Amino acid sequence: MITDIESATPALCRLQLGSELRQLRQDVGLNSRQVVRKLLWSPSKLTRLETGENATVEPADVMALCQIYQADEETCELLKGYAAVTKTRRDWWQSPEYRPVISPGFKAFLGLEATASALHDYESEFVPGLLQTEDYVRVIYQRAHQGLSDDEIDRMVAVRMNRQAVLHRESPLKLTAIINEAVLRRQVGGPAVMRAQLAHIAEATSAPNVRVQVVPFKVGHHPGMNGSFMILQFRDPVALKPIIYFENMADKWVSRRDGDTERFGEAFTDLQALAPGPQESLSMIKMAIREL
């Protein structure tokens, strides 16, 4: 439950609203099909509400659900308040400047990242997004999105830079990043860009909310060899369970399935145990800088 709606972000209100609506539905023993049949909604409409994917939520829709779920008056007013926030405020990534360069899947992730209390990030090929420098990001986007205009590239870079504010907000996101040693050795943009990028990671590790470990080549086979993944955790783990985020060249998507959160949570724990601690990992980063 959000205790201060006045200062809550739209993204947090959407997630909390969806979680509480889903719990109310389950408490009265209704499945999604029964609910949408009563309201003459499409199944996807209820799914988007319960997963917090809609940019805005109509208070009238919330009230219709509360009536079906027989929610008490206090709960109804609280949920209407969440919906009102989504109608009257905008998250930064919903501005006209950024909307054209943000895919639906990534927009969903931005809302999750902005409201998460902790992020566990394993990266096999790239520096974690929250630790990337502007020059590093620009090189990646120029290579991956050939044909885009300079203005579009600028906007995509700005999105990446704005994301990093979560590390410096009043209650900063706690980032635990594990990176493959290949990330340190791959010269994205050449020696100068890479040297600055690695120095930026080293500097970032001095913050109490940032922890970085490196999986060295010498460990051999490890649980992250199937690819990168992120685990987002929230302040209220009962109302908002951990969520897994994946992306590749074709798509970006999230998983809320208990089996996935358990499996990837175990994989991340194993990677933490395999990788050297933060100080030894920092030494590896500094060594890579010297060798550029």
Side-chain angles (χ1 to χ4, degrees), residues 253-288:
W253 69 100
V254 299
S255 173
R256 295 172 168 83
R257 293 194 294 266
D258 290 341
D260 284 344
T261 57
E262 182 178 347
R263 183 158 52 95
F264 283 93
E266 289 176 354
F268 196 86
T269 299
D270 290 344
L271 284 166
Q272 281 186 294
L274 278 174
Q279 286 305 312
E280 188 175 344
S281 295
L282 179 59
S283 296
M284 292 178 65
I285 295 170
K286 291 180 177 179
M287 176 66 74

mmCIF file of all heavy atoms in Angstrom, residues 253-288:
data_model
loop_
_atom_site.group_PDB
_atom_site.id
_atom_site.type_symbol
_atom_site.label_atom_id
_atom_site.label_comp_id
_atom_site.label_asym_id
_atom_site.label_seq_id
_atom_site.Cartn_x
_atom_site.Cartn_y
_atom_site.Cartn_z
ATOM 1 N N TRP A 253 10.803 -8.117 -22.791
ATOM 2 C CA TRP A 253 9.626 -8.611 -22.103
ATOM 3 C C TRP A 253 9.936 -8.869 -20.625
ATOM 4 O O TRP A 253 11.090 -8.946 -20.227
ATOM 5 C CB TRP A 253 9.088 -9.867 -22.775
ATOM 6 C CG TRP A 253 9.913 -11.096 -22.658
ATOM 7 C CD1 TRP A 253 9.729 -12.137 -21.802
ATOM 8 C CD2 TRP A 253 11.079 -11.435 -23.436
ATOM 9 N NE1 TRP A 253 10.690 -13.099 -21.987
ATOM 10 C CE2 TRP A 253 11.531 -12.701 -22.984
ATOM 11 C CE3 TRP A 253 11.775 -10.790 -24.454
ATOM 12 C CZ2 TRP A 253 12.650 -13.321 -23.523
ATOM 13 C CZ3 TRP A 253 12.890 -11.414 -24.990
ATOM 14 C CH2 TRP A 253 13.308 -12.659 -24.533
ATOM 15 N N VAL A 254 8.858 -8.978 -19.835
ATOM 16 C CA VAL A 254 8.996 -9.254 -18.407
ATOM 17 C C VAL A 254 8.280 -10.552 -18.077
ATOM 18 O O VAL A 254 7.376 -10.988 -18.799
ATOM 19 C CB VAL A 254 8.419 -8.110 -17.536
ATOM 20 C CG1 VAL A 254 9.157 -6.818 -17.803
ATOM 21 C CG2 VAL A 254 6.924 -7.934 -17.772
ATOM 22 N N SER A 255 8.684 -11.180 -16.988
ATOM 23 C CA SER A 255 8.019 -12.376 -16.500
ATOM 24 C C SER A 255 7.732 -12.213 -15.010
ATOM 25 O O SER A 255 8.610 -11.816 -14.241
ATOM 26 C CB SER A 255 8.884 -13.618 -16.718
ATOM 27 O OG SER A 255 8.285 -14.751 -16.094
ATOM 28 N N ARG A 256 6.497 -12.523 -14.638
ATOM 29 C CA ARG A 256 6.091 -12.488 -13.231
ATOM 30 C C ARG A 256 5.853 -13.887 -12.684
ATOM 31 O O ARG A 256 5.411 -14.040 -11.548
ATOM 32 C CB ARG A 256 4.811 -11.648 -13.079
ATOM 33 C CG ARG A 256 4.988 -10.178 -13.431
ATOM 34 C CD ARG A 256 3.640 -9.464 -13.449
ATOM 35 N NE ARG A 256 3.795 -8.030 -13.514
ATOM 36 C CZ ARG A 256 4.000 -7.340 -14.626
ATOM 37 N NH1 ARG A 256 4.070 -7.982 -15.780
ATOM 38 N NH2 ARG A 256 4.114 -6.022 -14.613
ATOM 39 N N ARG A 257 6.114 -14.901 -13.502
ATOM 40 C CA ARG A 257 5.854 -16.283 -13.072
ATOM 41 C C ARG A 257 6.761 -16.673 -11.909
ATOM 42 O O ARG A 257 7.972 -16.426 -11.936
ATOM 43 C CB ARG A 257 6.051 -17.249 -14.232
ATOM 44 C CG ARG A 257 5.027 -17.107 -15.352
ATOM 45 C CD ARG A 257 5.086 -18.308 -16.291
ATOM 46 N NE ARG A 257 6.363 -18.339 -16.992
ATOM 47 C CZ ARG A 257 6.568 -17.809 -18.191
ATOM 48 N NH1 ARG A 257 5.579 -17.179 -18.806
ATOM 49 N NH2 ARG A 257 7.744 -17.881 -18.770
ATOM 50 N N ASP A 258 6.158 -17.316 -10.904
ATOM 51 C CA ASP A 258 6.924 -17.710 -9.718
ATOM 52 C C ASP A 258 8.093 -18.608 -10.085
ATOM 53 O O ASP A 258 9.181 -18.497 -9.510
ATOM 54 C CB ASP A 258 6.010 -18.423 -8.715
ATOM 55 C CG ASP A 258 5.015 -17.471 -8.064
ATOM 56 O OD1 ASP A 258 5.251 -16.256 -8.099
ATOM 57 O OD2 ASP A 258 3.994 -17.953 -7.533
ATOM 58 N N GLY A 259 7.876 -19.512 -11.050
ATOM 59 C CA GLY A 259 8.949 -20.416 -11.439
ATOM 60 C C GLY A 259 10.150 -19.685 -12.009
ATOM 61 O O GLY A 259 11.299 -20.036 -11.727
ATOM 62 N N ASP A 260 9.891 -18.638 -12.799
ATOM 63 C CA ASP A 260 10.987 -17.862 -13.378
ATOM 64 C C ASP A 260 11.727 -17.061 -12.315
ATOM 65 O O ASP A 260 12.967 -17.007 -12.312
ATOM 66 C CB ASP A 260 10.457 -16.910 -14.456
ATOM 67 C CG ASP A 260 10.118 -17.635 -15.752
ATOM 68 O OD1 ASP A 260 10.561 -18.777 -15.918
ATOM 69 O OD2 ASP A 260 9.407 -17.045 -16.592
ATOM 70 N N THR A 261 10.977 -16.415 -11.427
ATOM 71 C CA THR A 261 11.645 -15.601 -10.400
ATOM 72 C C THR A 261 12.505 -16.471 -9.493
ATOM 73 O O THR A 261 13.597 -16.070 -9.080
ATOM 74 C CB THR A 261 10.616 -14.823 -9.562
ATOM 75 O OG1 THR A 261 9.687 -15.723 -8.960
ATOM 76 C CG2 THR A 261 9.854 -13.826 -10.424
ATOM 77 N N GLU A 262 12.035 -17.679 -9.219
ATOM 78 C CA GLU A 262 12.823 -18.587 -8.376
ATOM 79 C C GLU A 262 14.071 -19.071 -9.114
ATOM 80 O O GLU A 262 15.180 -19.073 -8.565
ATOM 81 C CB GLU A 262 11.960 -19.776 -7.959
ATOM 82 C CG GLU A 262 12.683 -20.762 -7.045
ATOM 83 C CD GLU A 262 11.791 -21.899 -6.600
ATOM 84 O OE1 GLU A 262 10.561 -21.809 -6.795
ATOM 85 O OE2 GLU A 262 12.327 -22.886 -6.058
ATOM 86 N N ARG A 263 13.893 -19.459 -10.383
ATOM 87 C CA ARG A 263 15.014 -20.012 -11.151
ATOM 88 C C ARG A 263 16.103 -18.972 -11.396
ATOM 89 O O ARG A 263 17.288 -19.239 -11.194
ATOM 90 C CB ARG A 263 14.477 -20.544 -12.486
ATOM 91 C CG ARG A 263 15.504 -21.207 -13.377
ATOM 92 C CD ARG A 263 14.808 -22.145 -14.347
ATOM 93 N NE ARG A 263 13.737 -21.466 -15.064
ATOM 94 C CZ ARG A 263 13.879 -20.911 -16.274
ATOM 95 N NH1 ARG A 263 15.054 -20.986 -16.887
ATOM 96 N NH2 ARG A 263 12.871 -20.333 -16.871
ATOM 97 N N PHE A 264 15.707 -17.772 -11.793
ATOM 98 C CA PHE A 264 16.703 -16.742 -12.062
ATOM 99 C C PHE A 264 17.279 -16.152 -10.772
ATOM 100 O O PHE A 264 18.425 -15.709 -10.746
ATOM 101 C CB PHE A 264 16.112 -15.649 -12.953
ATOM 102 C CG PHE A 264 16.018 -16.055 -14.393
ATOM 103 C CD1 PHE A 264 14.865 -16.622 -14.896
ATOM 104 C CD2 PHE A 264 17.103 -15.910 -15.244
ATOM 105 C CE1 PHE A 264 14.774 -17.023 -16.223
ATOM 106 C CE2 PHE A 264 17.035 -16.307 -16.573
ATOM 107 C CZ PHE A 264 15.865 -16.867 -17.062
ATOM 108 N N GLY A 265 16.475 -16.167 -9.704
ATOM 109 C CA GLY A 265 17.009 -15.749 -8.416
ATOM 110 C C GLY A 265 18.126 -16.673 -7.949
ATOM 111 O O GLY A 265 19.165 -16.227 -7.449
ATOM 112 N N GLU A 266 17.928 -17.971 -8.133
ATOM 113 C CA GLU A 266 18.967 -18.940 -7.770
ATOM 114 C C GLU A 266 20.203 -18.771 -8.650
ATOM 115 O O GLU A 266 21.337 -18.872 -8.170
ATOM 116 C CB GLU A 266 18.406 -20.357 -7.900
ATOM 117 C CG GLU A 266 17.375 -20.711 -6.836
ATOM 118 C CD GLU A 266 16.764 -22.082 -7.049
ATOM 119 O OE1 GLU A 266 17.069 -22.707 -8.091
ATOM 120 O OE2 GLU A 266 15.989 -22.530 -6.182
ATOM 121 N N ALA A 267 19.985 -18.508 -9.949
ATOM 122 C CA ALA A 267 21.116 -18.320 -10.861
ATOM 123 C C ALA A 267 21.940 -17.105 -10.441
ATOM 124 O O ALA A 267 23.179 -17.144 -10.454
ATOM 125 C CB ALA A 267 20.618 -18.152 -12.295
ATOM 126 N N PHE A 268 21.257 -16.040 -10.046
ATOM 127 C CA PHE A 268 21.992 -14.838 -9.642
ATOM 128 C C PHE A 268 22.773 -15.089 -8.357
ATOM 129 O O PHE A 268 23.919 -14.647 -8.223
ATOM 130 C CB PHE A 268 21.028 -13.657 -9.460
ATOM 131 C CG PHE A 268 21.718 -12.326 -9.430
ATOM 132 C CD1 PHE A 268 22.011 -11.651 -10.599
ATOM 133 C CD2 PHE A 268 22.092 -11.749 -8.225
ATOM 134 C CE1 PHE A 268 22.658 -10.427 -10.588
ATOM 135 C CE2 PHE A 268 22.742 -10.522 -8.195
ATOM 136 C CZ PHE A 268 23.027 -9.858 -9.382
ATOM 137 N N THR A 269 22.167 -15.793 -7.422
ATOM 138 C CA THR A 269 22.856 -16.131 -6.183
ATOM 139 C C THR A 269 24.104 -16.966 -6.465
ATOM 140 O O THR A 269 25.172 -16.745 -5.870
ATOM 141 C CB THR A 269 21.914 -16.888 -5.230
ATOM 142 O OG1 THR A 269 20.803 -16.048 -4.904
ATOM 143 C CG2 THR A 269 22.630 -17.284 -3.951
ATOM 144 N N ASP A 270 23.984 -17.923 -7.395
ATOM 145 C CA ASP A 270 25.134 -18.749 -7.754
ATOM 146 C C ASP A 270 26.232 -17.909 -8.408
ATOM 147 O O ASP A 270 27.428 -18.121 -8.150
ATOM 148 C CB ASP A 270 24.699 -19.866 -8.708
ATOM 149 C CG ASP A 270 23.840 -20.923 -8.013
ATOM 150 O OD1 ASP A 270 23.838 -20.958 -6.769
ATOM 151 O OD2 ASP A 270 23.172 -21.697 -8.727
ATOM 152 N N LEU A 271 25.842 -16.948 -9.252
ATOM 153 C CA LEU A 271 26.827 -16.073 -9.897
ATOM 154 C C LEU A 271 27.559 -15.221 -8.859
ATOM 155 O O LEU A 271 28.774 -15.012 -8.952
ATOM 156 C CB LEU A 271 26.136 -15.170 -10.924
ATOM 157 C CG LEU A 271 25.744 -15.832 -12.245
ATOM 158 C CD1 LEU A 271 24.774 -14.951 -13.022
ATOM 159 C CD2 LEU A 271 26.982 -16.127 -13.082
ATOM 160 N N GLN A 272 26.822 -14.743 -7.866
ATOM 161 C CA GLN A 272 27.456 -13.965 -6.798
ATOM 162 C C GLN A 272 28.497 -14.794 -6.058
ATOM 163 O O GLN A 272 29.554 -14.279 -5.673
ATOM 164 C CB GLN A 272 26.399 -13.470 -5.812
ATOM 165 C CG GLN A 272 25.614 -12.260 -6.288
ATOM 166 C CD GLN A 272 24.689 -11.736 -5.216
ATOM 167 O OE1 GLN A 272 23.736 -12.406 -4.810
ATOM 168 N NE2 GLN A 272 24.969 -10.546 -4.728
ATOM 169 N N ALA A 273 28.184 -16.061 -5.857
ATOM 170 C CA ALA A 273 29.116 -16.942 -5.145
ATOM 171 C C ALA A 273 30.335 -17.279 -6.000
ATOM 172 O O ALA A 273 31.451 -17.399 -5.481
ATOM 173 C CB ALA A 273 28.396 -18.217 -4.718
ATOM 174 N N LEU A 274 30.141 -17.408 -7.306
ATOM 175 C CA LEU A 274 31.238 -17.750 -8.200
ATOM 176 C C LEU A 274 32.187 -16.577 -8.433
ATOM 177 O O LEU A 274 33.402 -16.753 -8.523
ATOM 178 C CB LEU A 274 30.686 -18.207 -9.561
ATOM 179 C CG LEU A 274 30.223 -19.652 -9.690
ATOM 180 C CD1 LEU A 274 29.580 -19.853 -11.050
ATOM 181 C CD2 LEU A 274 31.406 -20.605 -9.522
ATOM 182 N N ALA A 275 31.633 -15.386 -8.556
ATOM 183 C CA ALA A 275 32.437 -14.209 -8.905
ATOM 184 C C ALA A 275 33.237 -13.731 -7.693
ATOM 185 O O ALA A 275 32.786 -13.848 -6.548
ATOM 186 C CB ALA A 275 31.533 -13.081 -9.396
ATOM 187 N N PRO A 276 34.431 -13.181 -7.928
ATOM 188 C CA PRO A 276 35.174 -12.553 -6.833
ATOM 189 C C PRO A 276 34.347 -11.421 -6.208
ATOM 190 O O PRO A 276 33.437 -10.875 -6.847
ATOM 191 C CB PRO A 276 36.419 -11.998 -7.528
ATOM 192 C CG PRO A 276 36.542 -12.777 -8.793
ATOM 193 C CD PRO A 276 35.145 -13.113 -9.211
ATOM 194 N N GLY A 277 34.676 -11.078 -4.960
ATOM 195 C CA GLY A 277 33.966 -10.011 -4.271
ATOM 196 C C GLY A 277 34.206 -8.651 -4.913
ATOM 197 O O GLY A 277 35.009 -8.509 -5.847
ATOM 198 N N PRO A 278 33.530 -7.623 -4.409
ATOM 199 C CA PRO A 278 33.633 -6.283 -5.007
ATOM 200 C C PRO A 278 35.054 -5.730 -5.079
ATOM 201 O O PRO A 278 35.414 -5.102 -6.081
ATOM 202 C CB PRO A 278 32.754 -5.429 -4.083
ATOM 203 C CG PRO A 278 31.759 -6.394 -3.526
ATOM 204 C CD PRO A 278 32.506 -7.671 -3.347
ATOM 205 N N GLN A 279 35.872 -5.954 -4.072
ATOM 206 C CA GLN A 279 37.226 -5.388 -4.095
ATOM 207 C C GLN A 279 38.105 -6.072 -5.141
ATOM 208 O O GLN A 279 38.820 -5.410 -5.893
ATOM 209 C CB GLN A 279 37.864 -5.501 -2.703
ATOM 210 C CG GLN A 279 37.303 -4.523 -1.695
ATOM 211 C CD GLN A 279 37.385 -3.078 -2.179
ATOM 212 O OE1 GLN A 279 38.423 -2.617 -2.656
ATOM 213 N NE2 GLN A 279 36.279 -2.360 -2.064
ATOM 214 N N GLU A 280 38.050 -7.399 -5.199
ATOM 215 C CA GLU A 280 38.831 -8.103 -6.215
ATOM 216 C C GLU A 280 38.306 -7.790 -7.608
ATOM 217 O O GLU A 280 39.082 -7.663 -8.568
ATOM 218 C CB GLU A 280 38.793 -9.607 -5.957
ATOM 219 C CG GLU A 280 39.740 -10.388 -6.859
ATOM 220 C CD GLU A 280 39.781 -11.871 -6.524
ATOM 221 O OE1 GLU A 280 39.330 -12.249 -5.418
ATOM 222 O OE2 GLU A 280 40.261 -12.646 -7.375
ATOM 223 N N SER A 281 36.992 -7.646 -7.725
ATOM 224 C CA SER A 281 36.405 -7.286 -9.016
ATOM 225 C C SER A 281 36.836 -5.885 -9.436
ATOM 226 O O SER A 281 37.111 -5.630 -10.619
ATOM 227 C CB SER A 281 34.877 -7.371 -8.945
ATOM 228 O OG SER A 281 34.440 -8.710 -8.736
ATOM 229 N N LEU A 282 36.920 -4.964 -8.472
ATOM 230 C CA LEU A 282 37.396 -3.614 -8.772
ATOM 231 C C LEU A 282 38.839 -3.659 -9.270
ATOM 232 O O LEU A 282 39.210 -2.925 -10.204
ATOM 233 C CB LEU A 282 37.281 -2.735 -7.530
ATOM 234 C CG LEU A 282 37.767 -1.286 -7.660
ATOM 235 C CD1 LEU A 282 37.014 -0.544 -8.761
ATOM 236 C CD2 LEU A 282 37.618 -0.553 -6.320
ATOM 237 N N SER A 283 39.625 -4.535 -8.696
ATOM 238 C CA SER A 283 41.014 -4.691 -9.164
ATOM 239 C C SER A 283 41.049 -5.191 -10.601
ATOM 240 O O SER A 283 41.897 -4.763 -11.400
ATOM 241 C CB SER A 283 41.766 -5.661 -8.251
ATOM 242 O OG SER A 283 41.870 -5.153 -6.935
ATOM 243 N N MET A 284 40.128 -6.086 -10.961
ATOM 244 C CA MET A 284 40.049 -6.563 -12.339
ATOM 245 C C MET A 284 39.693 -5.422 -13.288
ATOM 246 O O MET A 284 40.226 -5.327 -14.403
ATOM 247 C CB MET A 284 39.014 -7.684 -12.450
ATOM 248 C CG MET A 284 39.384 -8.972 -11.740
ATOM 249 S SD MET A 284 38.063 -10.226 -11.870
ATOM 250 C CE MET A 284 38.068 -10.533 -13.651
ATOM 251 N N ILE A 285 38.783 -4.550 -12.858
ATOM 252 C CA ILE A 285 38.378 -3.406 -13.684
ATOM 253 C C ILE A 285 39.561 -2.471 -13.889
ATOM 254 O O ILE A 285 39.839 -2.006 -15.015
ATOM 255 C CB ILE A 285 37.188 -2.674 -13.040
ATOM 256 C CG1 ILE A 285 35.950 -3.579 -13.018
ATOM 257 C CG2 ILE A 285 36.887 -1.370 -13.793
ATOM 258 C CD1 ILE A 285 34.802 -3.046 -12.186
ATOM 259 N N LYS A 286 40.290 -2.187 -12.825
ATOM 260 C CA LYS A 286 41.449 -1.290 -12.928
ATOM 261 C C LYS A 286 42.545 -1.912 -13.784
ATOM 262 O O LYS A 286 43.237 -1.196 -14.527
ATOM 263 C CB LYS A 286 41.949 -0.948 -11.527
ATOM 264 C CG LYS A 286 40.997 -0.055 -10.736
ATOM 265 C CD LYS A 286 41.539 0.265 -9.356
ATOM 266 C CE LYS A 286 40.604 1.215 -8.615
ATOM 267 N NZ LYS A 286 41.107 1.522 -7.237
ATOM 268 N N MET A 287 42.717 -3.212 -13.699
ATOM 269 C CA MET A 287 43.686 -3.898 -14.539
ATOM 270 C C MET A 287 43.303 -3.761 -16.020
ATOM 271 O O MET A 287 44.164 -3.513 -16.883
ATOM 272 C CB MET A 287 43.791 -5.365 -14.154
ATOM 273 C CG MET A 287 44.720 -6.181 -15.038
ATOM 274 S SD MET A 287 46.451 -5.661 -14.890
ATOM 275 C CE MET A 287 46.831 -6.347 -13.250
ATOM 276 N N ALA A 288 42.017 -3.915 -16.310
ATOM 277 C CA ALA A 288 41.561 -3.770 -17.696
ATOM 278 C C ALA A 288 41.797 -2.363 -18.214
ATOM 279 O O ALA A 288 42.123 -2.176 -19.388
ATOM 280 C CB ALA A 288 40.066 -4.119 -17.775
#
